[in-house]
Amino acid sequence: MKYKSQKIAYQFFLLAMLLFVLQIIYGFIMGFAHMGYDVLHDFIPFNTAVTTHKNLLVVWILAGFMGSAYYIIPDESGQELWSVPLAKLQFWSFAIVGVVAVAGFHVGWWEGRKFLEIPRPLDYLVAGNVILFLVIILMTLLKGKQTTTSWVLTMGLVFAALLYLPGMIYFDNIAVDSFFRWWVVHLWVEGVWELIMGGILAYLLIKLTGVDREVIEKWLYVVVGLTFISGILGTGHHYYYTGGPSYWLMIGGIFSALEPLAFLAMTIFAIQMYRKGNKKHPNKLALYWTLSTAIVSFLGAGLLGLAHTLPGVNLYTHGTLVTAMHGHLAFWGAYASLILAIISYSMPLMTGRNIFDNRIGHLAFWCSNIGMIAMTAAFAAAGVAQVYLERIAGYDFMTTAIEIQPHFFVLIVAATLFTTGIVLFIINFFKFGKPTDEALQTEEAFEALKTV
Amino acid sequence: MLSKKQAKIFFLGGTILFMLIFIGMSVHSLMVGIPENTNDSEIDDQVKLGKLIWEEQNCMGCHTIMGEGAYYAPELTRVYSRRGETYIHAVLTAPEGWGFRGRRMVKYDFTEEEVAGLIAFLKWMDKTELNGFPAAPSLPPPSPAH
């Protein structure tokens, strides 16, 4: 850690970890409900659980992005954060809005719009909070050294904020509402969030492999270029069957089929940089998480997305558990693992405690990744069985739901392994202790590892 | 070999070009395609009320509509023609909350006006043109002998 103000990242990472645990608990509630044990129905009905599960995901990933930016931007721009008191204010307001939103879901204070359930008054507070965050980041960036990595990361954050706005407009026609909802959700996760992902990944690769910044940033441009070229018109796969004109079937089909290329490029980019760089950096756990982000995001977001994105297939898989299969591995690979990578990298530098390569850390890595892949397989089995029974053979919804219940038992077993991994990761997180100014300049020891 | 500047042009040029195409297609979809496919002119106050309740009660948190939602309860795009008005009314007004083969729906205390709004919303949805979704089952129904 070079600057004292980078320590603010810790608070965001801590919040992210707590919300992640809560998200997993709600996931179990839903898994048991699908198995036929909806025992909490009177207190936490399924629609409350699903809304809480999804929004906790969004909030903890955003907390992770914000923490990452607070850690990376001062380092990249070569100076302290513009205002630490304002950053603390931004943290507490973000945490309070997040907690109020989640509590509100339990008393029916929501908008029933998938992923955008936060009610309108809180939307304004979210917008205000994000503006404050962006002001702090931009002021730091503009006053200091400007690198491609920091600009790509910041642009991702700015456009993520701007894209939230179309989701705040009310429409009487649910098809129009859905159209704009995907402007937010798709252009986030398959657009500007990938800018953020690319920026964080590039930063980690520069630090961990020692490869020349110019080389990494050149390929960063190519990767994010491919992301937008395929991803923007790839939004069309959400418009096949939601009231849009039929030309989206062709346009969405072609560009969605190209979307895995961006993730493949991200994977090749990370692996090539790893192979090109030296292997001396002691933080093996950060390297594992960085490479797994690149690889698993390709599997989850790229390949499993491709598996059901073509219109002829999607006609039958749309609105089934096949989507949950793709969604879980995609979010895990692309965004959750990325946050765990930056935490694994930055915590030793913020605290001065060199937990780089311990047994718990490796167990956490393997249990969570194997657990999530097994969960994806369980969702796949349930989803494909649902498609054949309900959509192809014509059985009614509940007949199908009862037939596929055993797959949710497998899901819960797999989720238990996944949860074990996450708990181990969090144990490691707490073993680091809190950040300290004594950890300043710890990074210097690794500067000599640069290959160029 | 590709230079960093060329890579930057590829990123910015590609992004701007495809963003402009996307915006053009979106404008057409919003002005022409969606209004036609969804009979936008038929959205009256009752349908609007139904859509508002749909969101306020977070029906999408269990059901799917146009294939979008949470996969825990039935897809409702064509429920009006599949089940009929009387059945939907019974579901929405079940005194202890609707339950079906072990899966329970949240208990609601809708007024008759709200029930009528939800039914009008589902009736409107039933007539939307969604490029063939939901598709008819491609296999014939199982024969009684099996």
Side-chain angles (χ1 to χ4, degrees), chain A residues 72-107:
Chain A
I72 293 171
I73 297 297
D75 188 21
E76 286 285 289
S77 27
Q79 58 171 353
E80 293 285 357
L81 208 58
W82 175 63
S83 170
V84 173
L86 282 179
K88 284 182 179 167
L89 173 71
Q90 191 261 322
F91 168 76
W92 284 108
S93 55
F94 180 79
I96 290 167
V97 170
V99 169
V100 170
V102 167
F105 295 152
H106 293 73
V107 290

Side-chain angles (χ1 to χ4, degrees), chain A residues 343-396:
Chain A
I343 288 175
S344 299
Y345 173 75
S346 62
M347 284 300 284
L349 300 172
M350 285 195 285
T351 60
R353 298 195 70 180
N354 295 342
I355 304 174
F356 287 147
D357 205 12
N358 66 346
R359 186 190 293 257
I360 292 181
H362 282 282
L363 261 177
F365 176 83
W366 290 109
C367 284
S368 54
N369 273 294
I370 294 170
M372 181 51 81
I373 289 168
M375 283 170 65
T376 306
F379 271 123
V384 171
Q386 184 188 5
V387 168
Y388 276 95
L389 288 172
E390 190 187 352
R391 300 292 177 81
I392 294 179
Y395 289 100
D396 72 53

Side-chain angles (χ1 to χ4, degrees), chain A residues 74 82 184 194 196 217 243 254 263 269 285 322 402 426 432:
Chain A
W82 175 63
V184 186
E194 283 186 53
I196 300 170
E217 290 181 340
I254 292 170
F263 285 102
F269 165 63
L285 288 171
V322 169
I402 290 168
I426 292 172
F432 281 110

Side-chain angles (χ1 to χ4, degrees), chain A residues 244-253, chain B residues 24-30 33 131:
Chain A
S246 57
Y247 53 67
W248 285 113
L249 296 174
M250 187 180 70
I251 298 292
Chain B
M25 291 176 71
S26 293
V27 169
H28 177 267
S29 295
L30 291 163
N131 293 326

Side-chain angles (χ1 to χ4, degrees), chain B residues 19-33:
Chain B
M19 194 175 69
L20 290 174
I21 296 171
F22 178 69
I23 289 172
M25 291 176 71
S26 293
V27 169
H28 177 267
S29 295
L30 291 163
M31 303 292 285
V32 183

Side-chain angles (χ1 to χ4, degrees), chain A residues 95-403:
Chain A
I96 290 167
V97 170
V99 169
V100 170
V102 167
F105 295 152
H106 293 73
V107 290
W109 195 37
W110 53 24
E111 288 175 14
R113 300 157 70 228
K114 194 175 178 180
F115 282 112
L116 301 180
E117 287 93 345
I118 291 179
R120 200 54 45 90
L122 289 183
D123 277 341
Y124 295 118
L125 292 178
V126 170
N129 182 273
V130 172
I131 288 169
L132 177 60
F133 165 71
L134 291 175
V135 167
I136 297 165
I137 293 297
L138 281 167
M139 289 301 285
T140 311
L141 185 64
L142 293 173
K143 282 172 66 184
K145 196 173 84 183
Q146 292 168 23
T147 65
T148 300
T149 298
S150 59
W151 267 113
V152 167
L153 172 60
T154 307
M155 282 302 100
L157 295 164
V158 169
F159 283 107
L162 287 175
L163 279 168
Y164 193 65
L165 302 178
M168 290 170 65
I169 310 167
Y170 188 83
F171 298 100
D172 288 324
N173 187 334
I174 196 170
V176 178
D177 190 275
S178 174
F179 193 90
F180 279 111
R181 197 161 45 78
W182 290 116
W183 272 38
V184 186
V185 180
H186 176 91
L187 292 175
W188 263 7
V189 299
E190 286 161 80
V192 295
W193 280 25
E194 283 186 53
L195 272 187
I196 300 170
M197 179 190 177
I200 297 174
L201 212 51
Y203 175 82
L204 287 167
L205 289 170
I206 290 168
K207 296 289 180 181
L208 292 168
T209 66
V211 173
D212 182 26
R213 171 184 290 276
E214 287 298 301
V215 176
I216 288 184
E217 290 181 340
K218 177 178 78 178
W219 291 110
L220 173 62
Y221 274 134
V222 175
V223 168
V224 292
L226 283 172
T227 297
F228 280 109
I229 287 170
S230 60
I232 293 174
L233 288 176
T235 315
H237 63 234
H238 296 290
Y239 300 156
Y240 294 162
Y241 309 118
T242 53
S246 57
Y247 53 67
W248 285 113
L249 296 174
M250 187 180 70
I251 298 292
I254 292 170
F255 284 88
S256 296
L258 294 175
E259 279 187 64
L261 286 181
F263 285 102
L264 181 63
M266 191 94 79
T267 310
I268 294 171
F269 165 63
I271 291 174
Q272 279 301 103
M273 293 307 120
Y274 169 68
R275 291 177 64 183
K276 196 177 163 77
N278 63 49
K279 312 285 186 293
K280 295 178 196 160
H281 201 291
N283 196 338
K284 299 295 177 213
L285 288 171
L287 195 63
Y288 270 51
W289 283 110
T290 302
L291 292 176
S292 79
T293 299
I295 295 166
V296 181
S297 66
F298 170 62
L299 298 176
L303 282 186
L304 292 185
L306 181 67
H308 72 128
T309 201
L310 296 177
V313 176
N314 196 249
L315 179 61
Y316 292 94
T317 58
H318 178 53
T320 68
L321 290 156
V322 169
T323 310
M325 161 200 79
H326 158 58
H328 277 77
L329 198 64
F331 270 108
W332 167 250
Y335 301 117
S337 298
L338 179 72
I339 304 301
L340 303 188
I342 187 80
I343 288 175
S344 299
Y345 173 75
S346 62
M347 284 300 284
L349 300 172
M350 285 195 285
T351 60
R353 298 195 70 180
N354 295 342
I355 304 174
F356 287 147
D357 205 12
N358 66 346
R359 186 190 293 257
I360 292 181
H362 282 282
L363 261 177
F365 176 83
W366 290 109
C367 284
S368 54
N369 273 294
I370 294 170
M372 181 51 81
I373 289 168
M375 283 170 65
T376 306
F379 271 123
V384 171
Q386 184 188 5
V387 168
Y388 276 95
L389 288 172
E390 190 187 352
R391 300 292 177 81
I392 294 179
Y395 289 100
D396 72 53
F397 180 88
M398 269 316 296
T399 302
T400 305
I402 290 168
E403 289 300 320

Side-chain angles (χ1 to χ4, degrees), chain A residues 108-112, chain B residues 51-59 114:
Chain A
W109 195 37
W110 53 24
E111 288 175 14
Chain B
K51 192 250 182 187
L52 187 68
I53 297 165
W54 173 267
E55 287 181 1
E56 281 178 353
Q57 301 301 337
N58 196 7
C59 305
E114 288 170 331

